[in-house]
Amino acid sequence: MRSTGVRTRQIPRELAASVEKPVESEYRPTVATDVGRAVLAQRHGRNDPTFTVSAPLSAGGIVWRASRTPLGVATLALRQSAAGTVRAAAWGPGAEWALDQVPALCGRDDDTDGFDASRHPSVSEWHRRHPDLRIGRTDLVFDALVSAIMEQKVTSMQAFSAWRSIVTWYGERAPGPTPRPMFAPPTVDGWRLIPSWAWHRAGLEPPQSRTIVETSRRGASIVRAASTAADGEARDRVFISLRGVGIWTSAETRIRAFGDPDAVSVGDYHLAHQVGFALTGHRTDDDGMLELLEPFSGHRQRVIRLIYAGSALEPRRGPRLHPEDHRAR
């Protein structure tokens, strides 16, 4: 095997997973919590190698999540009972950290103080129908930042495919009895050591791969600065100071890593249209979206989540955007 520091795939992958006894815990939310909706927001497409669901959650399904915690790789399995209790089991060197993180992942830290759904009749109705909506957080800043960078200016299909390929090729096999082979993302240094041809093979455009590699060189300091920042604006300043990272990527990172209830992904291809349609019946642009969401300042991401939870989405009127494949260039 090469000694480049990047994992190669010469060892059979099915032999790489450990099956030690899990560490287990229970989390009893103090308020109604839709754990599935909170945790599934972290999934990168249906074939995400870090995430799978064994069966519909309403039928007692289990959410499986592989992550690279500060203490090492961990696999987390979550199941919510009809009474709302969350049973959790974890495997791997990061198991204890992953279990400690379960309440935050499920939305315990999501503070709804100051949210007035009555400012718009539709928002009030969606809130009435989904009082258990919570915004979870991972506190895994670098992984959230990388996944957001991958999703810049490309279709979700392209971004999810690139994430799946890179994490499977250069991540680490998740421990535990996962229902299918799962993988945790690379280390911060691991992202930097991924060769250029691998990014190309995965279908990721050069601007995104360069940004990830350059960002990984400052990964530890970025994580510290963002984690200690006082608020969302301060975190924006941390992320936007990085070359190749703009306001959209910063907002997406804040949502995923910190569960920011106010972050808005300005510049998204679909979001402004959907918010405008849901709140007025007509499309709008980014400026119009921000104006519509202004009455909910402090909870604008919450309103966006309620729009999607309430299925108040504009019907598709044409074919999906065809992804551009640059690999043949």
Side-chain angles (χ1 to χ4, degrees):
M1 297 177 64
R2 296 177 298 168
S3 58
T4 61
V6 178
R7 292 177 61 89
T8 58
R9 294 308 177 207
Q10 298 177 10
I11 299 174
R13 305 307 299 279
E14 67 275 7
L15 301 181
S18 59
V19 290
E20 75 273 12
K21 185 177 179 180
V23 184
E24 299 180 302
S25 70
E26 280 191 355
Y27 166 53
R28 299 176 182 272
T30 58
V31 296
T33 300
D34 185 340
V35 170
R37 193 180 298 277
V39 179
L40 286 170
Q42 301 289 345
R43 182 169 62 175
H44 308 291
R46 292 186 177 275
N47 297 311
D48 184 351
T50 72
F51 207 112
T52 191
V53 181
S54 64
L57 298 179
S58 58
I62 300 174
V63 174
W64 294 83
R65 174 175 162 81
S67 58
R68 184 174 295 280
T69 78
L71 300 181
V73 172
T75 298
L76 179 67
L78 299 174
R79 172 185 280 162
Q80 186 174 26
S81 71
T85 299
V86 180
R87 296 286 303 276
W91 295 259
E96 293 285 358
W97 190 95
L99 288 182
D100 289 343
Q101 187 69 17
V102 166
L105 184 65
C106 295
R108 179 199 59 189
D109 301 334
D110 183 20
D111 187 357
T112 60
D113 285 354
F115 176 56
D116 184 2
S118 68
R119 291 177 178 274
H120 190 287
S122 295
V123 175
S124 181
E125 173 61 17
W126 301 325
H127 183 53
R128 184 191 68 80
R129 286 159 46 190
H130 300 281
D132 55 358
L133 185 145
R134 297 288 176 266
I135 303 174
R137 58 186 291 165
T138 67
D139 288 298
L140 299 175
V141 178
F142 198 78
D143 289 347
L145 178 58
V146 167
S147 64
I149 292 171
M150 284 192 179
E151 295 170 23
Q152 294 173 347
K153 300 179 181 180
V154 297
T155 66
S156 295
M157 184 186 305
Q158 287 173 288
F160 294 159
S161 176
W163 171 265
R164 180 174 66 249
S165 296
I166 294 295
V167 171
T168 301
W169 297 339
Y170 295 97
E172 185 172 343
R173 177 68 188 270
T178 56
R180 61 177 174 83
M182 296 177 64
F183 303 89
T187 64
V188 173
D189 284 339
W191 287 108
R192 178 172 57 84
L193 295 172
I194 294 171
S196 58
W197 58 262
W199 297 110
H200 185 75
R201 181 184 170 199
L204 195 71
E205 303 251 356
Q208 283 92 319
S209 61
R210 283 196 299 268
T211 298
I212 292 171
V213 171
E214 291 178 6
T215 300
S216 67
R217 295 192 175 102
R218 299 170 53 193
S221 62
I222 293 166
V223 171
R224 284 194 301 270
S227 298
T228 57
D231 53 27
E233 289 185 1
R235 286 176 176 137
D236 276 342
R237 289 193 291 272
V238 172
F239 295 132
I240 295 173
S241 69
L242 305 169
R243 188 172 71 167
V245 174
I247 191 66
W248 183 92
T249 305
S250 179
E252 288 291 312
T253 306
R254 286 164 52 195
I255 295 165
R256 301 170 195 190
F258 301 109
D260 192 323
D262 194 49
V264 181
S265 302
V266 174
D268 190 273
Y269 185 76
H270 297 288
L271 183 60
H273 298 163
Q274 298 292 9
V275 171
F277 180 82
L279 299 183
T280 70
H282 304 283
R283 284 189 168 198
T284 189
D285 56 14
D286 282 333
D287 289 339
M289 173 179 67
L290 293 175
E291 183 176 349
L292 289 170
L293 293 175
E294 178 58 31
F296 303 99
S297 181
H299 295 275
R300 295 176 298 176
Q301 178 59 211
R302 190 180 316 284
V303 172
I304 292 168
R305 293 285 180 98
L306 286 170
I307 288 172
Y308 281 86
S311 299
L313 306 179
E314 182 183 28
R316 292 188 179 275
R317 302 183 185 279
R320 290 178 179 270
L321 181 67
H322 182 70
E324 181 182 4
D325 191 341
H326 67 90
R327 286 173 290 185
R329 293 177 186 170

